Amino acid sequence: MASKPSIPKGTRDFSPAEVAKRHYIIQTIKSNFEKFGFQPIETPSFENSETLMGKYGEEGDRLIFKILNSGDYLAKANTTHLEAKDSAKLTSSISEKALRYDLTVPFARYVVQHQNEIEFPFKRYQIQPVWRADRPQKGRFREFFQCDADVVGSKSLWQEVELVQLYDTVFTALGLNGVTVKINNRKILSGIAEVIGASDKLIDFTVALDKLDKIGEDGVKKEMIEKGITEEAIVKVQPLFSFSGTISEKIAQLSGLLAASEEGMKGVEELRFICDNVTQLGLSTAILDLDVTLARGLNYYTGAIFEVAAPKGVAMGSIGGGGRYDDLTGIFGLKNMSGVGISFGLDRIYLVVEELGLFPETVTASSKALFINYGDSEAFYALQAIKKLRASGIKAELYPDKAKVAKQFQHADKRNIPFAVIVGGEEMSSNTYSLKNLISGEQVSLDLEGLKNALL
Amino acid sequence: MASKPSIPKGTRDFSPAEVAKRHYIIQTIKSNFEKFGFQPIETPSFENSETLMGKYGEEGDRLIFKILNSGDYLAKANTTHLEAKDSAKLTSSISEKALRYDLTVPFARYVVQHQNEIEFPFKRYQIQPVWRADRPQKGRFREFFQCDADVVGSKSLWQEVELVQLYDTVFTALGLNGVTVKINNRKILSGIAEVIGASDKLIDFTVALDKLDKIGEDGVKKEMIEKGITEEAIVKVQPLFSFSGTISEKIAQLSGLLAASEEGMKGVEELRFICDNVTQLGLSTAILDLDVTLARGLNYYTGAIFEVAAPKGVAMGSIGGGGRYDDLTGIFGLKNMSGVGISFGLDRIYLVVEELGLFPETVTASSKALFINYGDSEAFYALQAIKKLRASGIKAELYPDKAKVAKQFQHADKRNIPFAVIVGGEEMSSNTYSLKNLISGEQVSLDLEGLKNALL
């Protein structure tokens, strides 16, 4: 290979510092998932194609990475599709497996497959990579981690209350104070559709309303009319254009607006339960807000819808989202299994924590001390000490070669190792170690116990 | 989908208990990698095919999972190969990416690609899944984790000394006392080939010698003669048939045997340095042994060769291995970059730790307490307490539904949750919590502080 090697577009190598920072975020999420009673599962990177295909719409099907069958795959290829050079139709006869596209469908598959071993309600979390053949762009990758927590097997709204608390707890632990947890309810959106007498225009309506901030009330109304929503309908939902105040006030407004819709009122009651309890239990640093334009995965969620916005002042899309889906496992034949869950957007959280300078310095700490190598007998003496330091939990290492001392110090510097330990003939004969602070330049002579205490 | 869903053969779902146990092993390995100064990197799950193909031999190429190009992949397919239905030749024109087969080639690619950012010697570790289209069988999977630590950029034998210590430290930490770290050296094997005047028979010779335990001295000699090794040659290496004693004694024997081979004597010197220093520094529980038949990846390693055997009495293949390879990155055009590394076999270590009952009970611990749900006002009271317990690091949860109490206790039992907390009207009015130990049946009434202390 003549040219310098590279990696596929949309994928990433992670350096030691990047892995350490990513791990810090993952570990914070994970430990709080567990504090909230969620248990980890892991599923295979690839699933049988039939498990994934058809679950994410046509666009999703296209974005799923397919794995070519091993061996003489053309022997079983569909001859008609092969001769017609019809890539789309040929695929299923030369590829039986595909890389997972998200963690939700594999979770649903897991629940159905293992339903007899699972104790319900099942609170599971899963932190694994997923793959999408999306066009790579800033912040969008072809391989990325999802961090999901879901409860399946209970319709209790206390789950929603706890999931808002979970967002608050994790983001507070990361120092990301002031995130906004936006909440809505699919039943509210359906109720609005009912009220305006246009259930088929729900998406158009929501998309237009979502632009209120950008194009103003007149702009939104203009777009709605262009999409075929009547003036009369718009009048009915006039309160949404000046939708503000506290959550209680917003709920009161919705209650008036949706009085005629049974489903809408059900949504109002759910929202009220969740918001009241979240408010009374209190949030540490997050802000709960009711956002009636929120409609992530509209065809998917059936109850609560969540989305988390980064703290004000940080330009970033949503850093988390989720909701309630009443029929999670129906696609695999297990009915009446309600689920509710949330997801943390690792890559975006990383960017926000980085931008705000919130990664603790210790996260990327490498070894605490580099022992300078003056030759084999000195190295042996050093390794005796290093062994004991490591047994006390101290990260320490020996420069492997008897290189020029300046080069060894430079190595410590480039690796951000804060201390060098010098062991020459003098130290060996006096059973001591010269510890040099590489930031201050200060150097002290210590016995092993003193060295250990200085580095702990 | 009518039939119950399944996963591809050779892959696995991991339940919460299995994930917890795997994580415990990974965490033990990881923390010791870091104590020894290794830093983590991560590489993409798939690489450009040209990065992987041709690096593992013909058999390896066949076992690499290829990813079908997205979109109209047949449009760019090689027409000749397509019409000839030549699967093997067609692949490169319809598949540009492949799942990584191991962590070593991606590491070599990483080092070359990022050589200007890396400070050498570079001690990296990597714990990620790899994929092989192998025939699945007991203990062999199509997706499995590798845990590798390698140093690149130094020929110092102190690395080998440290890697043996690293094996000892990790296995001791896992309670796996008494593993045998077998060591050999490629130069010893080459030296033997030289001495018997048959460098081309090296593999035949080693394979036959490896059967000494099973088929005895006569059987081995018979096989060697069948493979074309001369009687005269066999006489020369007679000491290998009664190769025993301490490591020093073995080294002395080898030294006599290989006196005529410059390369062989270099191997003897390397072995002596490594073994002497390991012995003098001391191992906690592992046993170092010189095994002259050890020849893993013969074409790959150039110096030390390592393999770890499970403690005596446990029937299991090697649970780790590694060695020195003098030209790690040459395949990507960066010459003179010596590497040495070791790998931990996660799946086998898991089986051994399980068989010996060494997983700490706390590893699979779920929530410490389940709060029984008697209705919304009791649930709210419970969640106020739960919030405070979680803030103290205690894993606690509320049963989400107001189900029959017996069912809720059963849930705690099935989830191995050791305590239930009962909060009814009485507790609420007296600001207390009834804590029930689900193993002993004992129940006490506590205030929040007492509850916290009891669960910490």
Side-chain angles (χ1 to χ4, degrees):
Chain A
M1 189 177 295
S3 60
K4 204 172 164 184
S6 61
I7 53 177
K9 62 179 177 177
T11 68
R12 294 167 285 175
D13 279 332
F14 294 107
S15 70
E18 287 164 335
V19 172
K21 289 175 181 175
R22 285 166 63 86
H23 180 73
Y24 162 73
I25 296 172
I26 288 173
Q27 191 53 38
T28 304
I29 294 172
K30 190 174 136 70
S31 68
N32 283 295
F33 280 173
E34 295 189 353
K35 256 190 247 166
F36 276 70
F38 290 88
Q39 297 182 290
I41 69 163
E42 287 180 7
T43 62
S45 296
F46 46 74
E47 297 271 352
N48 292 321
S49 296
E50 68 216 48
T51 300
L52 303 183
M53 297 298 282
K55 308 303 190 298
Y56 307 99
E58 263 180 53
E59 172 73 355
D61 279 358
R62 262 198 307 276
L63 299 184
I64 290 172
F65 280 112
K66 286 97 186 171
I67 294 172
L68 197 55
N69 290 344
S70 299
D72 186 9
Y73 55 89
L74 287 176
K76 286 188 191 169
N78 180 301
T79 319
T80 313
H81 301 328
L82 192 64
E83 278 164 12
K85 284 199 160 197
D86 188 333
S87 296
K89 288 187 177 156
L90 182 68
T91 303
S92 66
S93 68
I94 62 170
S95 161
E96 289 167 1
K97 293 182 287 289
L99 292 174
R100 70 175 159 244
Y101 179 85
D102 73 358
L103 300 178
T104 306
V105 168
F107 173 50
R109 193 266 310 145
Y110 180 97
V111 168
V112 177
Q113 189 175 333
H114 302 280
Q115 54 185 288
N116 297 327
E117 307 141 40
I118 293 172
E119 168 62 17
F120 294 99
F122 183 41
K123 299 173 84 168
R124 91 85 172 77
Y125 76 84
Q126 196 169 351
I127 301 177
Q128 291 193 280
V130 302
W131 296 268
R132 296 185 184 176
D134 246 324
R135 187 182 300 273
Q137 55 185 58
K138 191 169 180 297
R140 187 195 286 168
F141 305 99
R142 292 188 152 184
E143 173 175 42
F144 58 98
F145 267 68
Q146 288 195 332
C147 313
D148 287 11
D150 295 79
V151 194
V152 67
S154 162
K155 292 186 175 176
S156 164
L157 294 175
W158 287 112
Q159 315 279 15
E160 278 83 343
V161 172
E162 292 218 69
L163 291 173
V164 175
Q165 289 191 308
L166 179 53
Y167 267 139
D168 177 50
T169 308
V170 168
F171 287 119
T172 301
L174 289 171
L176 268 184
N177 299 341
V179 303
T180 301
V181 180
K182 295 187 269 187
I183 184 170
N184 195 13
N185 194 299
R186 165 64 189 256
K187 297 184 180 87
I188 298 278
L189 293 168
S190 300
I192 292 172
E194 209 180 317
V195 164
I196 66 173
S199 295
D200 60 323
K201 300 258 161 43
L202 174 55
I203 292 172
D204 288 336
F205 180 85
T206 315
V207 166
L209 190 60
D210 192 32
K211 296 179 185 164
L212 192 57
D213 275 357
K214 286 183 205 141
I215 60 176
E217 184 173 335
D218 289 346
V220 171
K221 287 183 176 171
K222 185 160 167 272
E223 183 171 322
M224 286 180 176
I225 286 165
E226 281 166 13
K227 294 286 181 180
I229 294 164
T230 64
E231 298 253 9
E232 197 192 350
I234 294 171
V235 169
K236 277 189 186 161
V237 294
Q238 180 63 35
L240 295 180
F241 292 104
S242 51
F243 199 61
S244 62
T246 64
I247 294 179
S248 306
E249 287 162 5
K250 285 181 178 175
I251 290 176
Q253 287 178 66
L254 282 177
S255 190
L257 186 67
L258 298 173
S261 161
E262 194 183 333
E263 190 172 9
M265 287 310 286
K266 181 87 173 50
V268 169
E269 283 320 303
E270 290 186 10
L271 266 182
R272 196 193 311 271
F273 182 91
I274 299 165
C275 294
D276 278 2
N277 280 296
V278 166
T279 306
Q280 284 173 51
L281 285 165
L283 295 174
S284 297
T285 66
I287 299 145
L288 182 68
D289 191 27
L290 199 171
D291 180 353
V292 81
T293 68
L294 186 63
R296 314 167 48 96
L298 193 62
N299 299 314
Y300 192 64
Y301 296 121
T302 53
I305 305 171
F306 300 112
E307 191 168 278
V308 183
K312 287 185 181 55
V314 181
M316 182 66 66
S318 68
I319 55 176
R324 162 82 62 177
Y325 30 91
D326 270 340
D327 190 23
L328 173 64
T329 57
I331 43 172
F332 297 115
L334 182 62
K335 300 288 175 196
N336 295 319
M337 198 50 103
S338 185
V340 58
I342 57 173
S343 187
F344 288 79
L346 176 63
D347 287 307
R348 287 184 175 177
I349 293 171
Y350 183 104
L351 292 173
V352 175
V353 174
E354 186 79 303
E355 184 177 332
L356 298 176
L358 297 172
F359 282 114
E361 266 189 41
T362 50
V363 164
T364 51
S366 61
S367 287
K368 201 73 181 280
L370 178 74
F371 280 67
I372 304 298
N373 188 332
Y374 286 93
D376 283 347
S377 57
E378 291 88 349
F380 180 81
Y381 179 82
L383 273 179
Q384 287 180 305
I386 287 172
K387 189 182 172 190
K388 284 172 184 142
L389 293 177
R390 286 175 182 158
S392 305
I394 295 163
K395 297 180 193 171
E397 58 186 290
L398 169 72
Y399 192 87
D401 298 287
K402 187 192 165 187
K404 282 188 181 149
V405 173
K407 189 182 172 185
Q408 298 189 46
F409 276 106
Q410 202 176 47
H411 182 75
D413 184 50
K414 287 194 176 162
R415 294 267 316 281
N416 285 316
I417 298 175
F419 291 96
V421 182
I422 297 156
V423 280
E426 199 177 313
E427 283 84 2
M428 284 172 71
S429 60
S430 64
N431 233 329
T432 58
Y433 305 85
S434 296
L435 178 69
K436 190 180 175 77
N437 181 321
L438 295 174
I439 296 149
S440 69
E442 191 192 0
Q443 184 171 322
V444 288
S445 176
L446 299 165
D447 64 7
L448 185 57
E449 197 58 26
L451 183 66
K452 202 169 77 182
N453 292 333
L455 293 173
L456 263 177
Chain B
M1 188 175 292
S3 61
K4 203 172 163 183
S6 62
I7 52 176
K9 62 177 178 180
T11 67
R12 294 166 287 175
D13 278 332
F14 294 107
S15 70
E18 288 166 334
V19 173
K21 288 175 181 174
R22 284 166 63 84
H23 180 74
Y24 162 73
I25 295 173
I26 288 173
Q27 192 50 39
T28 303
I29 293 171
K30 191 174 135 68
S31 68
N32 283 294
F33 279 174
E34 294 189 355
K35 256 189 249 169
F36 276 71
F38 291 88
Q39 298 182 288
I41 69 161
E42 289 180 6
T43 63
S45 296
F46 47 74
E47 296 272 351
N48 291 321
S49 297
E50 67 214 48
T51 300
L52 304 182
M53 298 298 284
K55 309 302 191 298
Y56 307 99
E58 263 181 54
E59 173 72 354
D61 279 355
R62 263 199 305 279
L63 299 184
I64 290 173
F65 279 112
K66 286 98 184 167
I67 294 172
L68 197 56
N69 291 344
S70 300
D72 185 11
Y73 54 88
L74 288 176
K76 285 189 192 167
N78 179 302
T79 318
T80 314
H81 302 327
L82 193 63
E83 278 162 13
K85 283 196 160 204
D86 188 332
S87 297
K89 287 186 178 157
L90 181 67
T91 304
S92 66
S93 67
I94 62 169
S95 161
E96 288 166 2
K97 293 181 287 289
L99 291 174
R100 68 175 161 245
Y101 180 86
D102 74 356
L103 300 179
T104 306
V105 168
F107 173 51
R109 192 266 310 146
Y110 180 98
V111 168
V112 177
Q113 190 176 334
H114 301 281
Q115 55 186 288
N116 297 327
E117 307 140 42
I118 293 171
E119 167 63 19
F120 294 99
F122 182 41
K123 299 174 83 168
R124 90 83 172 80
Y125 76 84
Q126 195 168 354
I127 301 177
Q128 290 193 281
V130 302
W131 296 268
R132 296 183 185 179
D134 244 325
R135 187 182 299 274
Q137 56 185 56
K138 193 173 177 295
R140 188 195 285 170
F141 303 98
R142 291 187 154 185
E143 174 176 42
F144 59 97
F145 267 68
Q146 289 195 333
C147 312
D148 287 12
D150 295 79
V151 194
V152 65
S154 163
K155 293 187 172 173
S156 164
L157 294 174
W158 287 111
Q159 314 281 14
E160 277 84 342
V161 173
E162 291 219 68
L163 291 173
V164 175
Q165 289 189 308
L166 179 53
Y167 268 138
D168 177 50
T169 307
V170 168
F171 287 119
T172 301
L174 289 171
L176 268 183
N177 299 340
V179 303
T180 301
V181 180
K182 295 187 271 187
I183 184 171
N184 195 14
N185 194 299
R186 165 67 190 256
K187 298 184 180 84
I188 297 279
L189 293 168
S190 299
I192 293 172
E194 207 182 318
V195 165
I196 67 174
S199 293
D200 59 326
K201 300 256 161 41
L202 175 56
I203 292 173
D204 288 336
F205 178 85
T206 315
V207 166
L209 189 62
D210 192 32
K211 296 181 186 163
L212 191 58
D213 275 358
K214 287 184 206 138
I215 60 176
E217 183 171 336
D218 289 348
V220 171
K221 285 182 177 169
K222 185 159 165 276
E223 183 171 322
M224 285 179 175
I225 286 164
E226 280 165 15
K227 294 287 181 180
I229 294 165
T230 63
E231 298 252 11
E232 196 192 355
I234 293 172
V235 168
K236 279 191 185 158
V237 294
Q238 179 63 36
L240 295 181
F241 292 104
S242 51
F243 199 61
S244 62
T246 64
I247 293 179
S248 304
E249 286 162 6
K250 284 181 179 175
I251 289 175
Q253 287 177 65
L254 282 177
S255 189
L257 185 68
L258 299 173
S261 162
E262 193 182 335
E263 191 173 7
M265 288 311 286
K266 182 84 173 50
V268 169
E269 282 321 303
E270 291 187 8
L271 266 182
R272 197 194 311 270
F273 182 91
I274 299 164
C275 295
D276 279 2
N277 281 297
V278 167
T279 307
Q280 284 173 54
L281 284 165
L283 295 174
S284 297
T285 66
I287 300 145
L288 182 69
D289 190 29
L290 198 171
D291 180 355
V292 82
T293 69
L294 185 63
R296 314 168 48 96
L298 194 62
N299 297 316
Y300 192 64
Y301 296 120
T302 53
I305 304 172
F306 299 113
E307 189 169 278
V308 183
K312 286 186 181 54
V314 181
M316 181 66 65
S318 68
I319 55 174
R324 163 83 60 181
Y325 31 93
D326 270 340
D327 190 21
L328 173 65
T329 56
I331 44 172
F332 298 115
L334 182 63
K335 302 287 175 197
N336 295 319
M337 197 51 101
S338 185
V340 59
I342 58 173
S343 187
F344 288 81
L346 175 63
D347 287 306
R348 288 184 173 178
I349 293 171
Y350 184 105
L351 292 172
V352 176
V353 174
E354 185 80 302
E355 184 177 331
L356 298 176
L358 297 173
F359 282 114
E361 268 189 41
T362 49
V363 164
T364 52
S366 60
S367 286
K368 201 74 181 283
L370 179 73
F371 280 66
I372 305 299
N373 187 333
Y374 287 91
D376 282 347
S377 57
E378 292 87 349
F380 179 81
Y381 179 82
L383 273 179
Q384 287 181 304
I386 288 171
K387 190 183 170 189
K388 285 174 183 139
L389 294 177
R390 285 173 182 160
S392 304
I394 296 162
K395 297 180 195 172
E397 57 185 292
L398 168 72
Y399 192 86
D401 298 287
K402 187 193 165 187
K404 282 187 181 150
V405 173
K407 190 184 172 186
Q408 298 189 47
F409 275 106
Q410 204 178 46
H411 183 76
D413 185 49
K414 287 192 176 163
R415 294 266 316 280
N416 286 317
I417 297 175
F419 291 97
V421 182
I422 297 156
V423 280
E426 202 177 312
E427 284 84 1
M428 284 171 71
S429 59
S430 64
N431 233 329
T432 59
Y433 306 84
S434 296
L435 179 69
K436 190 181 175 76
N437 182 322
L438 295 173
I439 296 150
S440 69
E442 192 191 356
Q443 187 171 320
V444 287
S445 175
L446 299 164
D447 63 5
L448 185 58
E449 197 57 27
L451 183 67
K452 202 170 77 182
N453 292 332
L455 294 173
L456 261 176

